[in-house]
Amino acid sequence: MFIVTAKEMYDIDHCTMEKIGFGKLLMENAGRAVAEKVRQKVNAADKILIVVGPGNNGGDGYVIARTLQNEQYRVSVLQVVPDQKLSEQVQFFKQLYLACNGTCLLLDDSAEWKQVISEADVVIDSLLGIGVDGLVREPLASVIAFINEKGGKIVSVDIPSGLPADEGAEAFTSIQADETIVIAAPKTSVFLPHTANYYGNWEVVSIGHPQTLISENAACFVADDVFFRTTMPKRDVNSHKGDHGKGLVIGGCDNMPGSFAMTVRAALRTGAGLMTAVSTEKVIDRIACLSPEAMYQIGASEKGHLIADDLPLDDKDGVAFGIGVGRETKTAALLESVLQETTCPLIIDGDGLYLLQNQLARLKQRNEPTILTPHMGEMARLLEMDISDLTRSPFRYAREFAEEHHVYVVLKGKYTIITSPDGNQAVSTTGNPGLAKGGSGDVLTGIILAMMMQSQSIFQSLCNACFVHGMSADLQVQSGHSYHDLLATDVIEGIASVYRTFS
Ligand SMILES: NC(=O)C1=CN([C@@H]2O[C@H](COP(=O)(O)OP(=O)(O)OC[C@H]3O[C@@H](n4cnc5c(N)ncnc54)[C@H](OP(=O)(O)O)[C@@H]3O)[C@@H](O)[C@H]2O)[C@H](O)CC1
Ligand SMILES: [K+]
């Protein structure tokens, strides 16, 4: 599945209609596809009100109205702008609807509009689509507010009306949809923390755009099960442990042994060939028994925290630094040497990101891939910006940071955004609120470490690691756990189910 900005969608629409020649057929296809989904969500006796706005989203609404009416549903239309505001294309579909004995109430002509909305069992929101520009103007703003207040079940067409399709909007007035039938491809705002919830439950309908056209124009995609199945390397029956990576995890401190232990175990469960774990003597004494499959090495330490040391970096296939390592200045010196001496892909996570704050310039000096795995708070600190600004435009800021510092960024959230140094982006949509607990990120780092040693590109490995991490949590919740009781260690044990189910 591809993710599009408004401009990308317009380019795809325009090419499909004008160059390929779909013309008005595209809107007919859109309306029919949405109507088919609406039929699955309403009852035969429901009063269905299609609320039509000034643009092509409204045109979709007239096709939906005609299609549902033809299926004997109880349909009426409320048009909130005068006819002269409608484009020629929308006028065409309005005339078709009226010619099929459709009824239409004009907002200007009627004081009944509030009653009509109040009496509707289902409101189909065709007020505004991806053409909304700025805060919604009257009379649409009042209609949106009243629908939110009084409308029955609200099904939005393509996008909740008033919601911006793209990231970056500071303020907006939007329909709060129960369901959204997204046309052709989800828009960026489906995946933003402050706009996602307005969509309610969302699903995508195809309306005939050539998939190649969508893939050529969309800059981002969803790293889903199809992606995992087609890119996750198969294990060669003649392979040996060295073929699946020699991984190294550097982390932990005397008062934080657990997160480090989970990263080690998650890497083993994901399929790392050999794992070495470096931490303080006290940490290793306490956790070595948890993953006897790993090898352990005591790192130089002071007051329970790792300090600069000569570590076995040069013969590894992947290194993860920072999990539970603490924020001592002397540990920052260890990070400095790891950045300079690691000659393989390096993940920096957790406290390692805190220690990295004053060493960002070293990132570009590395010749090997560097992967940062911040959550929004850690990313905001790295960018030295307010987290609310970051969450409004996470795709942009992740891409700018990745390109500037030549790193991969796994920006963790409900929807995790994966960005490569050249700006390629993907979103992982697996996972659930059961992951909103300590340790989830440590487990993801272990999965990434093992995944990036499985003979696939770094970008693919990050996409697949996020898929496995979230899908493990989903399968665990489906098979008996709940959002409340799911532990990070359950996610480690659920990795087996993901492999068994999807590969
Ligand atoms: N292109 C196609 O044939 C297809 C498009 N699809 C559907 O169409 C919309 C995108 O259509 P578009 O007309 O570009 O956009 P909207 O339907 O959102 O309407 C834009 C008009 O709305 C008015 N507007 C814009 N901003 C505001 C605002 N802040 N407050 C009030 N009104 C606003 C404005 O009209 P004016 O006359 O007031 O300037 C805009 O012109 C897309 O989302 C799909 O649903 C089909 O799906 C496929 C075919
Ligand atoms: K809409």
Side-chain angles (χ1 to χ4, degrees):
M1 185 190 299
F2 292 94
I3 301 168
V4 291
T5 63
K7 180 184 180 309
E8 289 164 352
M9 192 68 242
Y10 278 125
D11 291 345
I12 294 163
D13 272 345
H14 186 263
C15 181
T16 303
M17 290 165 63
E18 307 307 330
K19 196 169 167 196
I20 296 174
F22 268 72
K24 291 189 176 76
L25 186 59
L26 200 62
M27 189 167 282
E28 177 72 10
N29 289 357
R32 284 176 170 269
V34 172
E36 185 49 38
K37 291 294 182 183
V38 169
R39 288 181 60 199
Q40 298 161 19
K41 303 174 190 300
V42 300
N43 302 312
D46 281 339
K47 280 187 170 179
I48 302 173
L49 175 68
I50 290 95
V51 184
V52 168
N56 289 330
N57 196 249
D60 294 347
Y62 272 117
V63 178
I64 295 165
R66 190 181 90 242
T67 307
L68 292 177
Q69 179 175 270
N70 205 30
E71 301 281 344
Q72 312 306 315
Y73 287 93
R74 303 169 66 190
V75 166
S76 61
V77 168
L78 171 65
Q79 180 179 309
V80 301
V81 291
D83 276 348
Q84 57 268 31
K85 292 275 277 183
L86 302 182
S87 68
E88 178 275 331
Q89 183 176 215
V90 176
Q91 293 271 15
F92 171 80
F93 286 105
K94 176 176 181 178
Q95 291 316 312
L96 282 188
Y97 167 68
L98 296 176
C100 296
N101 302 319
T103 60
C104 170
L105 186 69
L106 289 181
L107 186 77
D108 289 357
D109 299 352
S110 153
E112 301 160 40
W113 69 272
K114 287 189 177 180
Q115 184 184 343
V116 163
I117 291 173
S118 302
E119 289 170 354
D121 299 305
V122 179
V123 171
I124 307 296
D125 158 33
S126 279
L127 273 165
L128 288 168
I130 60 173
V132 67
D133 177 18
L135 273 176
V136 178
R137 300 185 291 274
E138 292 299 351
L140 276 73
S142 298
V143 174
I144 287 175
F146 194 76
I147 290 172
N148 282 339
E149 184 194 334
K150 287 288 183 192
K153 179 172 190 171
I154 303 173
V155 181
S156 284
V157 178
D158 197 22
I159 189 170
S161 292
L163 199 71
D166 298 343
E167 59 182 350
E170 289 207 16
F172 51 81
T173 310
S174 173
I175 283 280
Q176 174 55 67
D178 296 297
E179 313 260 355
T180 301
I181 314 299
V182 173
I183 292 165
K187 284 61 182 182
T188 308
S189 57
V190 169
F191 305 99
L192 301 179
H194 65 304
T195 52
N197 291 339
Y198 285 92
Y199 283 83
N201 299 315
W202 60 275
E203 57 188 305
V204 182
V205 288
S206 170
I207 66 168
H209 297 100
Q211 274 303 308
T212 49
L213 193 56
I214 296 177
S215 61
E216 284 158 11
N217 281 275
C220 188
F221 68 94
V222 174
D224 54 14
D225 57 316
V226 173
F227 183 86
F228 179 73
R229 281 195 172 96
T230 50
T231 60
M232 181 68 198
K234 304 288 180 278
R235 199 142 270 209
D236 179 347
V237 292
N238 299 311
S239 63
H240 58 81
K241 59 190 173 188
D243 294 332
H244 304 299
K246 296 189 289 296
L248 174 68
V249 181
I250 307 167
C253 59
D254 283 5
N255 58 2
M256 276 194 290
S259 51
F260 172 72
M262 287 189 278
T263 301
V264 173
R265 185 151 191 79
L268 288 164
R269 271 281 182 235
T270 304
L274 285 165
M275 278 302 301
T276 303
V278 173
S279 190
T280 65
E281 182 173 9
K282 192 172 180 183
V283 169
I284 287 174
D285 287 349
R286 290 165 69 181
I287 66 141
C289 58
L290 300 177
S291 296
E293 300 88 350
M295 295 169 283
Y296 295 89
Q297 180 172 331
I298 296 171
S301 66
E302 254 181 38
K303 298 177 186 163
H305 289 86
L306 292 174
I307 60 173
D309 191 2
D310 183 15
L311 296 177
L313 298 169
D314 50 6
D315 66 337
K316 297 295 182 288
D317 302 307
V319 175
F321 177 91
I323 306 92
V325 83
R327 300 183 172 185
E328 297 300 310
T329 308
K330 287 197 171 182
T331 310
L334 174 60
L335 171 59
E336 183 180 338
S337 61
V338 167
L339 282 168
Q340 287 167 346
E341 294 161 29
T342 305
T343 55
C344 65
L346 166 64
I347 306 164
I348 303 176
D349 179 41
D351 288 334
L353 294 169
Y354 179 88
L355 300 171
L356 181 67
Q357 188 73 40
N358 302 321
Q359 306 190 48
L360 293 179
R362 296 187 197 286
L363 291 171
K364 267 171 67 167
Q365 293 161 11
R366 274 182 47 80
N367 297 319
E368 292 294 331
T370 308
I371 299 97
L372 307 188
T373 55
H375 53 57
M376 288 289 180
E378 291 164 336
M379 189 76 208
R381 188 173 56 232
L382 283 171
L383 288 163
E384 296 178 349
M385 70 186 303
D386 189 292
I387 192 169
S388 60
D389 293 333
L390 170 63
T391 55
R392 264 198 294 278
S393 306
F395 289 85
R396 171 196 158 192
Y397 288 114
R399 186 170 52 247
E400 288 177 356
F401 186 93
E403 290 174 339
E404 179 187 352
H405 296 286
H406 203 64
V407 293
Y408 292 84
V409 177
V410 177
L411 182 53
K412 298 180 288 194
K414 176 184 178 189
Y415 296 117
T416 293
I417 301 169
I418 300 139
T419 307
S420 72
D422 50 10
N424 284 335
Q425 289 188 307
V427 172
S428 179
T429 60
T430 56
N432 59 62
L435 287 169
K437 288 192 190 99
S440 295
D442 308 316
V443 170
L444 175 59
T445 297
I447 296 173
I448 292 174
L449 175 58
M451 204 57 90
M452 70 187 194
M453 300 191 294
Q454 306 303 312
S455 64
Q456 57 186 322
S457 77
I458 295 289
F459 190 65
Q460 277 183 11
S461 65
L462 298 177
C463 292
N464 287 330
C466 292
F467 173 79
V468 167
H469 180 252
M471 186 51 73
S472 172
D474 290 340
L475 293 178
Q476 288 285 45
V477 167
Q478 285 165 26
S479 63
H481 284 285
S482 67
Y483 294 163
H484 292 86
D485 81 89
L486 186 74
L487 298 176
T489 45
D490 297 324
V491 177
I492 298 173
E493 298 319 308
I495 292 169
S497 307
V498 182
Y499 280 143
R500 204 172 48 244
T501 309
F502 290 93
S503 61

